[in-house]
Each structure stands twice: as C-alpha cells, then as structure tokens.
Amino acid sequence: MKYIPNILTISRFIFIPFIVVSALSGNYVAAIIFLTISGITDVLDGAIARKYNLISNFGKLIDPVADKATQIAVLTSLVIKNIIPLWILLIFVFKEFIMISGASFLYGKELIVSSKWYGKLSTVLLYTAMVLSLLLRSIKQFNIPTFLFTIDKVFYGLAIVSTIFSLLMYIKAFYMQGYLKNIEKDLKR
C-alpha cells in the first residue's frame, strides 16, 4: 500500500509518450483519454498519500516533475501541430525555469514548499485549456460555431495570468520567510 502513490506518479511518465504520439498523429480523442487518465492519477496519488499518511520525500520530488513533464510535452505537441502559438509554451517553460532555479537555491534549507490554491488553479486552467484544444480539433469536422474554437485560448489566457500570479505569490512567500533576503546577501558577498 505504501508504494501506491509513487506508482501512480510514475505512471504519469508512462502516459506522456502515449499522449504525445496520439496528439501528433491527430488522434485527439485518444490524447484526451490518456491525458484525463494521467490527470486522475495525479489527483489520486496525492489524495491517497495524504489520507493514509504515505507522503514520501521521493513523492514530494517526483510528483511536480511528472506534472511539469506532462504539461510541457502536451504543450510542445500542440505547438508542433500549430494548435497553439509557441509563445504560450515559452511562458510556461520560463516560469518552470524560474521555479527550478529558485528551488535549487533553496535546496537543503529547512523549507517546506506546499502547493497553494493559486498553483492548483493555474494547473487546472492549463489542463482545461489543453483538453479543450484537443477536443476542439477532434470535433472540427462538425458544424460548430466559429467562436467556440477560441474558447481554449480564453483558458490559456486565464492559465497564463494565474501562472504569473502564482509565481509572484511563491516568490513573495520565499521573500517573507527570509530565504530570498539571505540569497541576496550571499550574492553580494
């Protein structure tokens, strides 16, 4: 039982190639199914780990890596298929670069970084946008009003705003706890 959350997390890495190959081959329904199952395993691993007190250091490290790897892989696939513009992918890659850089500075510190509502909101908005992009391409042959084909862009916009907000909130939290002040002092030395 104690390995179930980590097995679920690792399974998300296994789903990535299936999502990407499905999306790139134009099998958007399959991509949606794989992405949805991957998302369900994300919710389950955290819920099981918290409910049964199975939280591990490995899980705390690998869970966000699985999330980001899935997000970047799907966004890259959507860029390759010309479904979304490159700049959307670049914003999320840049945000992750900043978060990883910050985490490397804080590595080994007595700091617990837990996800906050704004981080979860940006993830939900991004996943909603990605699923909508795939869904809209899968129903494109039907007689759907044109304005509906921009709804995914609305969700990307909301996800971007939410992502920038969450990044700023995490930076503020680190600063308020004194970690960024100490980094500034170390860099001046």
Side-chain angles (χ1 to χ4, degrees):
M1 177 77 174
K2 70 178 185 175
Y3 300 110
I4 290 175
N6 291 340
I7 291 169
L8 288 170
T9 300
I10 291 168
S11 75
R12 296 207 317 271
F13 288 103
I14 296 168
F15 280 110
I16 291 172
F18 292 100
I19 298 166
V20 169
V21 168
S22 297
L24 292 178
S25 66
N27 190 348
Y28 301 121
V29 173
I32 291 168
I33 291 169
F34 290 127
L35 184 58
T36 301
I37 294 170
S38 176
I40 290 169
T41 64
D42 185 19
V43 171
L44 285 176
D45 70 0
I48 291 169
R50 284 186 295 277
K51 182 173 182 173
Y52 296 103
N53 197 24
L54 300 172
I55 297 169
S56 67
N57 287 333
F58 176 77
K60 287 189 277 187
L61 174 70
I62 203 71
D63 182 69
V65 173
D67 290 342
K68 303 316 171 195
T70 302
Q71 292 169 9
I72 299 301
V74 173
L75 288 172
T76 301
S77 300
L78 295 174
V79 168
I80 290 169
K81 292 292 285 184
N82 292 316
I83 295 173
I84 63 169
L86 177 62
W87 63 266
I88 291 176
L89 170 65
L90 294 177
I91 287 172
F92 287 100
V93 168
F94 181 70
K95 179 250 185 187
E96 294 311 322
F97 174 76
I98 291 172
M99 293 293 285
I100 291 168
S101 298
S104 67
F105 278 118
L106 299 172
Y107 183 75
K109 306 275 193 244
E110 293 296 320
L111 176 66
I112 297 171
V113 180
S114 58
S115 60
K116 305 288 185 204
W117 68 267
Y118 38 82
K120 291 179 182 187
L121 175 65
S122 63
T123 300
V124 167
L125 289 169
L126 179 58
Y127 272 87
T128 301
M130 293 187 302
V131 167
L132 282 171
S133 289
L134 294 166
L135 180 64
L136 290 171
R137 291 330 169 270
S138 69
I139 63 171
K140 196 169 192 163
Q141 69 273 15
F142 300 111
N143 218 1
I144 306 291
T146 308
F147 76 92
L148 285 179
F149 285 98
T150 60
I151 194 154
D152 60 336
K153 304 305 184 275
V154 171
F155 276 89
Y156 283 114
L158 293 171
I160 289 167
V161 169
S162 178
T163 295
I164 292 169
F165 175 76
S166 68
L167 176 64
L168 294 174
M169 293 304 290
Y170 283 118
I171 290 170
K172 177 184 173 195
F174 294 151
Y175 188 79
M176 297 298 283
Q177 293 178 20
Y179 290 102
L180 294 181
K181 293 174 191 172
N182 291 339
I183 292 170
E184 288 173 1
K185 289 178 189 173
D186 290 344
L187 290 174
K188 289 180 181 177
R189 288 184 194 166

